[in-house]
Amino acid sequence: MSANGSTHLKQKSPPPAGKTQPAPRLGQPAVSVQVKTSNDWFARFAAAASAWLGSKWAFSWAALVIVVWGASGFVFHYSDTWQLVINTGTTIVTFLMVFLIQNTQNRDARAINLKLNELIHALDKARDQMIDIENLSDVELDELQVRYEAIRAACLAREKGKQRPAD
């Protein structure tokens, strides 16, 4: 539920005729996907700001500001105040952009992790223990990495054994 208490859940529409959804695994209930919409003003603002600020128009606008600032240096005799204006402006913009970028990256990383979790869950041969490994400690992740490096080394050794030089 959002901070202001107004959260709405909408049931995802059923698949079109002719399209089938994969059957749930044996012993597991079917999961219905729900889309959550809320009145979280910061999430909406961050998404809109990220979309606009990542556009070519925002870059063009920023480049124009720099050109105008640079050209105005002649009028202001390249004074310390003239330099302070651009330094202060860019510092403030950078400070605010850090939060917008972090919000966008957090949302994207969460969505990707959920998609990967669904893929792991959907594959019969995949190990469900890999779901939510982003919550493991660094030591546990290091152990997993060592295990998968050993699997890769064994695979390379098998491949090398199959390739025999032609006599």
Side-chain angles (χ1 to χ4, degrees):
M1 187 170 271
S2 68
N4 62 8
S6 59
T7 301
H8 307 286
L9 294 176
K10 295 189 300 186
Q11 185 71 28
K12 186 176 179 182
S13 59
K19 300 240 178 174
T20 60
Q21 290 188 354
R25 289 185 180 179
L26 291 176
Q28 294 181 352
V31 177
S32 67
V33 177
Q34 296 181 337
V35 178
K36 183 177 179 181
T37 60
S38 69
N39 290 329
D40 182 8
W41 67 269
F42 183 74
R44 287 193 321 269
F45 169 75
S50 294
W52 189 82
L53 293 169
S55 71
K56 63 183 174 186
W57 302 110
F59 177 81
S60 300
W61 183 80
L64 179 65
V65 167
I66 298 299
V67 168
V68 168
W69 170 79
S72 70
F74 178 74
V75 175
F76 294 104
H77 307 291
Y78 302 100
S79 67
D80 289 341
T81 303
W82 171 79
Q83 291 179 20
L84 188 60
V85 166
I86 198 69
N87 289 339
T88 303
T90 56
T91 301
I92 291 169
V93 169
T94 302
F95 179 74
L96 295 174
M97 286 299 296
V98 164
F99 296 101
L100 290 176
I101 291 168
Q102 188 63 52
N103 178 274
T104 302
Q105 287 183 336
N106 288 346
R107 188 175 54 251
D108 290 347
R110 186 174 184 201
I112 288 170
N113 284 329
L114 290 170
K115 289 176 184 180
L116 290 172
N117 289 346
E118 176 59 22
L119 289 173
I120 291 168
H121 176 73
L123 296 174
D124 288 335
K125 291 185 180 183
R127 295 182 314 189
D128 288 340
Q129 294 85 2
M130 297 301 285
I131 293 177
D132 287 335
I133 65 168
E134 64 273 10
N135 296 323
L136 296 178
S137 70
D138 286 339
V139 172
E140 292 168 318
L141 289 174
D142 289 343
E143 290 172 4
L144 276 174
Q145 182 175 356
V146 167
R147 185 181 314 157
Y148 280 100
E149 286 173 353
I151 291 170
R152 179 167 169 24
C155 179
L156 290 174
R158 280 192 310 271
E159 289 296 321
K160 189 175 180 181
K162 288 180 184 178
Q163 297 174 356
R164 295 193 179 145
D167 291 333

